Amino acid sequence: MVLAAIALEHGNDAKAEELADLAEKIGGAEGWRHILLGRLALKRSDTAAARDAARAAAAVGVDWPELAGDLGVLFSRTGLHTAALPFLARAMEAERFDPQAAYNYGIALQFTGDLPKARAVLEDLVTREPAHAQAWLALVPLAKDRHGEFLPDLEQKFAATENAEDRLIIGHAIARVLEDKGDWDASLGWLDRAKEPLAKTTGHDRAQTERLFAAAAASAGAPIPFLSGDPSPLFIVGMPRSGTTLAERILSAHPDVTSAGELSDFAVLIKRLVKTPGGHVLDAPTIEAAGSADLSAIEAAYIDRVRTIVGDSPRFIDKMPFNFFFAPLVLQALPGARVVCLRRSPHDTVFSNYRQLFATAFTYYSYAYDFEDTAHFVALFEKLIDHFEQALPKERFLSVSYEDIVADFDTQARRLVAFAGLEWNDACTAFHENSAPVATASSLQVRKPIYADAVARWKRYPEGSRRVQEALARFGIAHFKKI
């Protein structure tokens, strides 16, 4: 198992699997072996297998706190955040303090709603490890009362490090503090400064992005069946930071609805079906190939995978925002599924994506390192959803404006519930009391009642508002079309 773990850390997945098989024949260390197999499954984007491995490891048990931490991370990365929490807590019992284990525990506490304890864990972490950039970024929104003392420390840390990723993270933390102070353009300037090195090295490809959007648009030309089959899947899609989590919380507050979180399962099944080369499950060749493929086998496989998370819930939500690229394929492959697409002012969407630090390991978000690239991506999204609104059946594809939810919550909440094929339940009004974990950038906001502070936020940037209007106009988006 030691050799298998070394092989995995060095990217030799085949050798890691071979050594894990040998360890199984010898016997012992079963929990560790399941964790390693789960990590291998995640590298293949097989969340269902990773989930099964995590549960198997938990059933067998793990002896070491360090392994408990690995198991907690495996549960978290497969969407089982409540199951992850006790294992991440056990990792804190190791004799040697592990900053990453403390960070993982703090984030899990935030996702599951224990914000005071999350703050305490993260404050302790930055005291012990002042250079832990991720901990600072996570702590800033939880400790607004300490922003005055944070700002000079963060600026000093930014100047002291040459690590591009740490500068990116610390720069985002500084921008968040300045934003809360009302220094909007100063905040934007720090984002520009922090992101610039990554924008150069990441090399976002606009031509490939345009091909991906074109493939998604073309996939809407295939016949879409009438609503039939298993009605349980509800997809909530849209640009990140556009209100998708808010819509999810409204619907999942209904007693007949359970959220499965942000799943890659549909994309993985499509990729396996069409067998396109490359490691990405979201790319133009895959969507192009799927447009002429027989998708009939997808429904049973997809629903079986999600049932391992949600049990027998009458409806379940898959809230992977970028599933909007697959919306026509979802409606073709899952004849009982419905898709809700959130739309927000493109000007606000540009800012909300540019100011968000997405996982740097995922190249899908490479657009967010450059302001113009972000505007380009948002403009393409706007045009694609305009097309979907015309091409896809209205009983199966619904566009909802974030601004409309804020302005007329009751009407829009009832509209969402009715579209899902459900009777109204008053619990949907108290979505902020929903106790289910939230593992998105909106984990703090959706625990509060509806508020209008985020509407037209782009206008608060004196120079930034000019930048976003000019950038979107260059890509053919001059104003926000109300839905």
Side-chain angles (χ1 to χ4, degrees):
M1 282 307 307
V2 171
L3 290 169
I6 292 170
L8 179 62
E9 291 299 329
H10 286 268
N12 192 342
D13 297 354
K15 180 58 69 175
E17 197 154 13
E18 176 189 328
L19 289 163
D21 289 343
L22 178 58
E24 181 182 18
K25 292 173 185 174
I26 296 169
E30 282 296 283
W32 190 1
R33 187 176 65 82
H34 286 303
I35 292 168
L36 185 142
L37 293 175
R39 291 174 63 190
L40 283 168
L42 280 179
K43 292 183 76 172
R44 299 192 300 267
S45 297
D46 191 344
T47 50
R51 214 173 283 128
D52 289 343
R55 286 173 168 148
V60 173
V62 292
D63 296 328
W64 302 333
E66 294 83 355
L67 279 182
D70 287 347
L71 179 53
V73 170
L74 189 58
F75 271 124
S76 287
R77 292 191 60 194
T78 57
L80 302 175
H81 301 285
T82 302
L85 202 56
F87 294 101
L88 295 172
R90 259 192 72 201
M92 299 289 287
E93 298 170 6
E95 290 184 17
R96 182 179 177 181
F97 179 74
D98 181 352
Q100 191 59 40
Y103 173 76
N104 293 339
Y105 184 43
I107 293 299
L109 288 166
Q110 178 182 319
F111 286 170
T112 52
D114 193 343
L115 304 184
K117 193 168 183 179
R119 172 175 173 165
V121 169
L122 292 167
E123 284 182 327
D124 179 66
L125 173 53
V126 298
T127 299
R128 291 173 179 242
E129 295 286 335
H132 200 294
Q134 290 176 305
W136 280 107
L137 181 59
L139 178 59
V140 160
L142 293 171
K144 293 186 178 182
D145 56 307
R146 297 186 62 189
H147 280 186
E149 63 183 278
F150 283 173
L151 188 57
D153 284 348
L154 289 168
E155 290 177 341
Q156 186 177 21
K157 291 180 196 320
F158 186 90
T161 182
E162 295 183 0
N163 181 284
E165 188 154 338
D166 280 352
R167 286 169 69 87
L168 173 70
I169 296 168
I170 295 168
H172 271 266
I174 294 170
R176 182 64 59 88
V177 171
L178 291 171
E179 189 178 285
D180 288 337
K181 284 166 56 73
D183 294 340
W184 297 97
D185 278 339
S187 170
L188 181 57
W190 271 99
L191 291 176
D192 292 337
R193 186 176 172 187
K195 288 171 178 283
E196 185 179 9
L198 272 295
K200 291 178 179 176
T201 57
T202 303
H204 176 71
D205 190 330
R206 289 191 193 176
Q208 286 299 317
T209 299
E210 290 173 2
R211 181 184 171 189
L212 174 61
F213 275 91
S219 71
I224 304 294
F226 291 108
L227 194 62
S228 60
D230 191 327
S232 53
L234 301 170
F235 286 73
I236 296 180
V237 304
M239 284 294 297
R241 311 293 292 137
S242 66
T244 54
T245 302
L246 174 59
E248 175 200 41
R249 300 298 278 187
I250 293 168
L251 282 171
S252 63
H254 194 288
D256 289 340
V257 181
T258 300
S259 177
E262 298 187 357
L263 305 179
S264 58
D265 295 68
F266 185 83
V268 167
L269 290 170
I270 291 289
K271 182 78 172 183
R272 287 183 180 175
L273 177 71
V274 300
K275 297 181 172 63
T276 48
H280 291 118
V281 295
L282 173 59
D283 56 24
T286 298
I287 293 177
E288 290 164 355
S292 58
D294 179 3
L295 306 182
S296 59
I298 296 287
E299 182 180 25
Y302 172 78
I303 290 175
D304 285 349
R305 289 164 74 109
V306 183
R307 286 288 175 203
T308 66
I309 305 174
V310 301
D312 60 357
S313 177
R315 298 282 193 279
F316 61 78
I317 295 172
D318 182 337
K319 195 200 77 73
M320 177 62 78
F322 275 3
N323 272 337
F324 71 76
F325 285 109
F326 294 104
L329 299 178
V330 165
L331 299 182
Q332 293 167 41
L334 310 176
R338 298 169 171 90
V339 176
V340 175
C341 181
L342 268 292
R343 301 187 74 170
R344 185 181 181 185
S345 153
H347 302 75
D348 273 330
T349 304
V350 170
F351 277 105
S352 67
N353 276 250
Y354 190 61
R355 61 191 282 274
Q356 179 61 40
L357 180 59
F358 297 106
T360 55
F362 291 95
T363 57
Y364 303 122
Y365 302 111
S366 61
Y367 66 87
Y369 295 123
D370 179 85
F371 195 84
E372 288 280 324
D373 287 340
T374 306
H376 175 252
F377 197 97
V378 170
L380 291 173
F381 169 81
E382 287 292 312
K383 295 170 185 176
L384 177 66
I385 306 307
D386 281 348
H387 174 62
F388 283 175
E389 286 177 359
Q390 299 301 315
L392 301 179
K394 289 181 171 45
E395 71 274 13
R396 301 196 61 202
F397 181 86
L398 175 69
S399 285
V400 179
S401 159
Y402 169 76
E403 287 81 2
D404 283 349
I405 295 177
V406 172
D408 189 359
F409 176 81
D410 187 68
T411 298
Q412 295 304 318
R414 290 177 181 275
R415 183 184 179 209
L416 285 168
V417 172
F419 177 74
L422 297 166
E423 295 293 325
W424 174 253
N425 189 285
D426 287 341
C428 297
T429 302
F431 67 92
H432 56 288
E433 297 175 5
N434 187 339
S435 61
V438 187
T440 73
S442 302
S443 59
L444 301 182
Q445 293 93 322
V446 295
R447 298 191 187 281
K448 300 186 291 186
I450 200 76
Y451 61 93
D453 291 358
V455 173
R457 178 178 276 160
W458 68 276
K459 294 181 179 179
R460 300 173 195 174
Y461 296 81
E463 174 62 17
S465 61
R466 180 193 61 78
R467 282 176 64 183
V468 73
Q469 289 181 86
E470 291 178 356
L472 284 171
R474 278 192 286 275
F475 302 120
I477 304 294
H479 55 83
F480 178 40
K481 177 180 75 67
K482 289 291 286 181
I483 298 164

Short mmCIF file of all heavy atoms in Angstrom, two decimals, residues 83 215 305 375:
data_model
loop_
_atom_site.label_atom_id
_atom_site.label_comp_id
_atom_site.label_asym_id
_atom_site.label_seq_id
_atom_site.Cartn_x
_atom_site.Cartn_y
_atom_site.Cartn_z
N ALA A 83 -21.29 13.21 5.42
CA ALA A 83 -20.53 12.00 5.72
C ALA A 83 -19.05 12.30 5.91
O ALA A 83 -18.35 11.61 6.67
CB ALA A 83 -20.71 10.97 4.60
N ALA A 215 -21.11 23.72 -30.85
CA ALA A 215 -21.52 22.32 -30.77
C ALA A 215 -22.77 22.18 -29.90
O ALA A 215 -23.70 21.44 -30.23
CB ALA A 215 -20.38 21.47 -30.20
N ARG A 305 -26.92 5.84 -10.79
CA ARG A 305 -25.77 6.47 -10.14
C ARG A 305 -26.23 7.51 -9.12
O ARG A 305 -25.73 7.58 -7.99
CB ARG A 305 -24.85 7.12 -11.18
CG ARG A 305 -24.08 6.12 -12.02
CD ARG A 305 -23.50 6.77 -13.26
NE ARG A 305 -22.36 7.62 -12.95
CZ ARG A 305 -21.09 7.34 -13.26
NH1 ARG A 305 -20.80 6.19 -13.86
NH2 ARG A 305 -20.11 8.17 -12.97
N ALA A 375 -15.80 38.25 -20.40
CA ALA A 375 -16.88 38.89 -21.14
C ALA A 375 -17.21 38.10 -22.40
O ALA A 375 -18.39 37.94 -22.76
CB ALA A 375 -16.49 40.32 -21.49
#
